[in-house]
Amino acid sequence: MTAVLPPYPATPATPALPAPRRLTRTEDGERLHALLWTAGPGRRTISSAVLGGGIGPRAWILNAQVAHGYRRTDPERHLASLAADAGLHGPGVGLMTAADVSAYAHGRDAGVEAFVTAGVDVRGWAARPGEGAEGAPGPGTINVVVAVPAALTDAALVNAVATATEAKVQALVESGYDCSGTPTDAVCVVADAPAPHRETYAFAGPRSLWGARLARAVHRAVRDAVRHETPAPGY
């Protein structure tokens, strides 16, 4: 008897996350940019972002550029203020970076959408001798925002963050960077919230259906984001 496997989910006609809206502001005499995504109802995120991190429903995602040498010690309040200035309401995710976010890279794979901003001047390997620094970290320089058009369990969301990070490291190494990232990278994964009478996926590792798609989309976006940088030894 031949086993009949269930068909893969069809690729959605609309993107899991639309292209970001570009915002511009002047701060301390410097022209800075930001990217804004609206997640829409029935979505939730998992994120390491300073604003809106953790797991929960989020209505928007803001990736804001800040000046090099950023010295504010209240990044959460700063991001909340930028969100308010943009007219945003409700819970959201706020990331920041000293990289020019207007030069973001985009990767797509079978319904998964990945957006990456990257600056790799300060980078290295995650496991290195010495103690870590205390206090709030500075602005991250590789920010990954990736959306999956499917419902994921809490565990699968955590799995998706790990998969996105693995794909980022693979892209960096293949691009000639002797590093696993920058000290303050951030990631945000958007997925549908579980709901009655719809399939919820329990896995998002790199060999799972949605994890494999996520990995390819992030890998492509990170690779494109660092393409115009000049690889040099990390620290």
Side-chain angles (χ1 to χ4, degrees):
M1 180 176 179
T2 303
V4 178
L5 299 177
Y8 276 7
T11 300
T14 57
L17 198 63
R21 175 181 156 203
R22 299 180 189 230
L23 308 175
T24 303
R25 73 188 192 280
T26 300
E27 197 168 274
D28 297 328
E30 186 171 352
R31 189 175 178 84
L32 301 170
H33 306 281
L35 302 176
L36 172 63
W37 295 265
T38 52
R43 314 297 296 283
R44 63 179 189 155
T45 69
I46 180 171
S47 178
S48 62
V50 65
L51 176 67
I55 298 177
R58 303 289 187 266
W60 48 266
I61 303 158
L62 182 70
N63 186 12
Q65 179 188 4
V66 296
H68 288 275
Y70 184 79
R71 289 293 180 266
R72 287 188 60 160
T73 58
D74 60 345
E76 183 175 2
R77 179 178 296 181
H78 188 190
L79 285 165
S81 174
L82 295 178
D85 291 344
L88 300 174
H89 303 284
V93 172
L95 310 98
M96 56 173 49
T97 175
D100 180 4
V101 299
S102 65
Y104 74 88
H106 177 220
R108 177 188 294 117
D109 193 284
V112 175
E113 307 281 342
F115 301 87
V116 173
T117 59
V120 289
D121 291 339
V122 179
R123 58 186 181 272
W125 291 102
R128 53 171 291 189
E131 296 294 329
E134 295 183 359
T141 52
I142 300 178
N143 285 342
V144 175
V145 176
V146 57
V148 177
L152 301 179
T153 64
D154 286 1
L157 286 175
V158 175
N159 210 178
V161 169
T163 298
T165 303
E166 289 184 42
K168 176 194 74 175
V169 175
Q170 180 183 343
L172 287 170
V173 173
E174 290 177 355
S175 298
Y177 291 91
D178 186 22
C179 68
S180 56
T182 82
T184 47
D185 292 350
V187 61
C188 178
V189 177
V190 186
D192 295 344
H197 313 301
R198 71 166 301 174
E199 185 169 8
T200 299
Y201 293 84
F203 304 101
R207 295 286 70 83
S208 68
L209 173 62
W210 289 111
R213 295 172 175 182
L214 180 150
R216 289 190 293 266
V218 171
H219 176 266
R220 185 172 299 116
V222 172
R223 184 190 60 197
D224 290 348
V226 302
R227 178 172 292 168
H228 302 297
E229 302 281 344
T230 303
Y235 71 94

